[in-house]
Amino acid sequence: MNNPVFDRIKQDITENDVVLYMKGTPMFPQCGFSAAVVQVLTDLGVKFKGIDILVDPSLREGIKQYTNWPTLPQLYVKGEFVGGCDIVREMAASGELKQLMSDKGVAAA
């Protein structure tokens, strides 16, 4: 089945090493969970593409179906779904996130 939203997601996560589907933008997050993940990535010094799902209702629903994950934000590294806010914060606290970025060849400060 051809799903243009899934095609767009695949393109986004293929063309960018680190992608955050979020509410708002990295400069102006529209929810605390999105802001928290932006902060984690910023603290790591990782460049990422933030995609605002609020401007596109089809993407907002499509990303949840794509991952079968009901909440936002959603973080992707090198095309792989990493998780949402709680998972990202836990991985950052344990050092796992930095290790994942290193293992995937993503530059961090």
Side-chain angles (χ1 to χ4, degrees), residues 56-91:
D56 186 343
S58 65
L59 182 60
R60 185 178 191 166
E61 285 314 304
I63 192 68
K64 294 175 188 178
Q65 292 163 3
Y66 187 80
T67 50
N68 201 19
W69 189 264
T71 58
L72 287 140
Q74 294 187 8
L75 180 66
Y76 289 78
V77 177
K78 293 280 187 166
E80 275 181 43
F81 176 57
V82 176
C85 182
D86 291 346
I87 291 170
V88 171
R89 280 199 289 209
E90 286 167 19
M91 288 178 71

Side-chain angles (χ1 to χ4, degrees), residues 3-108:
N3 184 326
V5 174
F6 283 14
D7 292 343
R8 187 173 144 203
I9 292 166
K10 282 181 198 142
Q11 186 177 355
D12 285 334
I13 64 178
T14 303
E15 291 177 355
N16 302 279
D17 285 349
V18 183
V19 179
L20 181 63
Y21 289 91
M22 60 181 293
K23 294 179 180 174
T25 64
M27 290 296 292
F28 299 102
Q30 298 294 313
C31 84
F33 300 111
S34 292
V37 177
V38 167
Q39 189 60 55
V40 165
L41 294 172
T42 303
D43 289 348
L44 275 180
V46 170
K47 285 189 180 151
F48 67 97
K49 177 171 183 166
I51 298 176
D52 184 358
I53 55 87
L54 295 177
V55 296
D56 186 343
S58 65
L59 182 60
R60 185 178 191 166
E61 285 314 304
I63 192 68
K64 294 175 188 178
Q65 292 163 3
Y66 187 80
T67 50
N68 201 19
W69 189 264
T71 58
L72 287 140
Q74 294 187 8
L75 180 66
Y76 289 78
V77 177
K78 293 280 187 166
E80 275 181 43
F81 176 57
V82 176
C85 182
D86 291 346
I87 291 170
V88 171
R89 280 199 289 209
E90 286 167 19
M91 288 178 71
S94 71
E96 259 183 287
L97 191 60
K98 190 172 187 169
Q99 188 60 51
L100 175 74
M101 297 294 179
S102 174
D103 291 350
K104 297 279 186 186
V106 175

